[in-house]
């Protein structure tokens, strides 16, 4: 059974930092790309950061470059998103996602609210 358990997030003032973590079980972790998405109210989810098994292909959406850092721990089957210099525009629900695109496998975490007060 595949499980993604997210933790972290919460409320922080503008300029502050938060960390999101995602513990993953039930998959061949090393084959999967780690992704973090966010969803603004009334909008579709957008990809924020992506870290495949080959870290040369790491991706960040332009808006978070230099502020957010995605990481993965293949020994402990987890991924994290460190968010610094947060802005009110970062307020959203953040989702952990793991994907093995070769086979079309994809799994989602439950989502965590991140609220940045201005």
């Amino acid at each position: 059974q595949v499980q993604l358990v997210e933790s972290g997030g919460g409320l922080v003032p503008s300029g502050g930092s938060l960390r999101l973590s995602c513990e993953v079980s039930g998959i061949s972790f090393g084959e999967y790309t780690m992704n973090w998405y966010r969803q603004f109210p009334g909008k579709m989810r957008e990809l924020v950061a992506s870290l495949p098994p080959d870290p040369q292909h790491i991706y960040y959406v332009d808006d978070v470059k230099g502020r957010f850092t995605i990481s993965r721990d293949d020994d402990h089957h987890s991924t994290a998103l460190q968010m610094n210099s947060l802005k009110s525009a970062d307020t959203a629900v953040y989702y952990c996602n793991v994907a093995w695109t070769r086979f079309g496998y994809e799994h989602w975490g439950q989502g965590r609210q991140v609220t940045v007060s201005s």
Side-chain angles (χ1 to χ4, degrees):
Q1 181 181 0
V2 180
Q3 282 193 311
L4 281 73
V5 180
E6 296 185 44
S7 60
L11 174 64
V12 65
S14 180
S17 297
L18 285 173
R19 183 178 178 87
L20 296 169
S21 297
C22 181
E23 305 287 331
V24 185
S25 59
I27 63 170
S28 299
F29 188 88
E31 303 288 351
Y32 279 73
T33 293
M34 304 291 110
N35 301 302
W36 287 92
Y37 285 76
R38 64 185 176 186
Q39 188 168 22
F40 302 111
K43 303 290 186 181
M44 294 184 65
R45 293 180 190 179
E46 68 167 12
L47 180 62
V48 175
S50 179
L51 180 55
D54 181 354
Q56 293 185 58
H57 300 290
I58 195 169
Y59 165 84
Y60 294 99
V61 70
D62 286 345
D63 183 51
V64 308
K65 286 179 180 176
R67 301 190 298 122
F68 290 12
T69 302
I70 186 173
S71 61
R72 63 186 292 157
D73 185 338
D74 285 12
D75 291 331
H76 295 96
H77 292 193
S78 64
T79 179
L81 186 69
Q82 177 66 40
M83 303 180 290
N84 299 328
S85 302
L86 282 160
K87 305 181 285 189
S88 57
D90 295 316
T91 296
V93 178
Y94 285 72
Y95 294 89
C96 174
N97 168 280
V98 296
W100 192 355
T101 55
R102 178 180 179 185
F103 294 106
Y105 300 156
E106 185 177 74
H107 308 283
W108 292 90
Q110 78 274 24
R112 299 290 290 182
Q113 177 69 46
V114 170
T115 302
V116 184
S117 61
S118 56

